[in-house]
Amino acid sequence: MKKLGNDGMPIFAECGGYMYLSKSIEYNNQRHFMAGIIDSDIYMDKLVLGYRTVESLSDNILFKKGYKIRGHEFHYSKIKYNVENNYAYNTSSGPDGFYTENILAGYSHLYFPSNKKIPERFVSSCHKYHKR
């Protein structure tokens, strides 16, 4: 996975996928190593639950800056970035996510029917990668 991400393949991950892209997850005082694509570590914490309005802070593989979409969060973990992070989006509960030129990941589960431009943009990103 890390090799494909470094090669520019579009990667979109929500919640557990976001956690998988991190360096590690700490649970019951044990550290479990993950894909290492995002320079961050996950630790277990209290429940985060609720519907969100998500607004993109930048152009990326799913969004143009300012696009909005509905979604929700449901997780028992927090992320700690090991380097400064430019968040992918603002949500009604605060900043969320991570992005690079070809990667977009965050805790928010997005409800694609609320903004049909977003899945079309992702398919376009995948098509461009395939055609290279």
Side-chain angles (χ1 to χ4, degrees):
M1 173 72 82
K2 190 170 184 175
K3 181 179 182 300
L4 292 170
N6 289 338
D7 186 47
M9 183 179 85
I11 297 173
F12 171 59
E14 297 175 328
C15 202
Y18 182 39
M19 296 168 67
Y20 173 72
L21 294 178
S22 73
K23 291 175 80 174
S24 71
I25 297 175
E26 187 176 313
Y27 180 70
N28 284 340
N29 296 318
Q30 292 183 348
R31 190 172 184 196
H32 304 276
F33 293 97
M34 299 291 117
I37 293 172
I38 299 174
D39 192 3
S40 63
D41 295 291
I42 304 293
Y43 61 96
M44 303 315 288
D45 198 51
K46 63 183 180 177
L47 174 64
V48 176
L49 174 67
Y51 292 107
R52 307 285 183 249
T53 297
V54 177
E55 180 177 3
S56 176
L57 296 172
S58 66
D59 290 351
N60 55 59
I61 58 173
L62 258 68
F63 295 91
K64 283 194 178 244
K65 184 176 181 178
Y67 273 12
K68 291 183 180 178
I69 192 168
R70 292 188 316 231
H72 75 276
E73 283 185 66
F74 177 80
H75 55 91
Y76 286 91
S77 64
K78 289 202 175 192
I79 190 163
K80 179 185 171 283
Y81 290 98
N82 299 317
V83 295
E84 187 174 331
N85 178 42
N86 293 320
Y87 289 95
Y89 14 81
N90 268 331
T91 74
S92 45
S93 67
D96 183 26
F98 168 88
Y99 77 97
T100 64
E101 184 178 322
N102 63 303
I103 298 169
L104 178 66
Y107 274 121
S108 297
H109 296 264
L110 305 179
Y111 180 64
F112 292 118
S114 68
N115 187 330
K116 292 191 168 69
K117 295 176 189 173
I118 292 172
E120 291 170 4
R121 190 166 167 89
F122 184 64
V123 169
S124 176
S125 296
C126 293
H127 185 71
K128 285 178 189 171
Y129 175 76
H130 177 73
K131 296 287 263 178
R132 331 181 292 164

